[in-house]
């Protein structure tokens, strides 16, 4: 199964690359990317299903709901870095092509 790399998925991967070893809350990723929960959480679920994200539940205090945490797996980190490089190369090629045209 191939992962669709929409601009939103690339934003999410980019947010994880800001601090690749850190566990992140969905709310924080939403704030950093500007993505609403209806867009963000399906992306997080797909990344986790493909082994690119680890997930964990954090229980803070009794009476408060647990919070879901996300972190890049080693494969996810490699994947995110590769796609950031390939996207940057594609943008450079596009810019050069426009400059020549």
């Amino acid at each position: 199964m191939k992962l669709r790399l929409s601009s939103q998925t690339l934003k999410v991967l980019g947010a994880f690359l800001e601090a690749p070893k850190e566990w992140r809350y969905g709310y924080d990723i939403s704030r950093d990317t500007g993505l609403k929960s209806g867009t963000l959480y399906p992306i997080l679920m797909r990344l986790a299903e493909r082994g690119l994200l680890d997930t964990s539940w954090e229980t803070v205090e009794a009476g408060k709901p647990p919070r879901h945490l996300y972190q890049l797996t080693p494969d996810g980190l490699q994947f995110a870095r590769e796609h950031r490089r390939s996207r940057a190369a594609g943008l450079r090629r596009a810019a050069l092509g426009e400059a020549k045209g």
Side-chain angles (χ1 to χ4, degrees):
M1 238 186 295
K2 186 172 164 102
L3 180 63
R4 183 172 163 257
L5 289 179
S6 64
S7 61
Q8 293 92 345
T9 301
L10 291 169
K11 276 185 181 183
V12 170
L13 291 171
F16 279 104
L17 286 174
E18 295 297 317
K21 304 279 187 211
E22 300 294 318
W23 285 93
R24 309 276 316 267
Y25 295 111
Y27 175 79
D28 295 330
I29 300 164
S30 174
R31 189 184 61 226
D32 292 347
T33 61
L35 297 175
K36 301 212 181 295
S37 61
T39 300
L40 175 64
Y41 288 99
I43 291 170
L44 294 172
M45 289 177 5
R46 283 192 299 273
L47 292 172
E49 286 169 0
R50 287 164 177 81
L52 302 175
L53 288 181
D54 280 329
T55 63
S56 178
W57 286 99
E58 176 189 69
T59 305
V60 183
E61 323 174 359
K64 286 196 173 185
R67 296 176 71 185
H68 216 157
L69 291 161
Y70 305 88
Q71 179 187 44
L72 286 172
T73 63
D75 287 345
L77 178 58
Q78 180 180 349
F79 181 85
R81 286 179 173 159
E82 287 172 3
H83 285 279
R84 178 173 60 184
R85 281 193 296 270
S86 66
R87 184 167 190 237
L91 291 173
R92 280 193 300 276
R93 282 193 303 274
L96 290 173
E98 289 172 11
K100 290 178 184 176

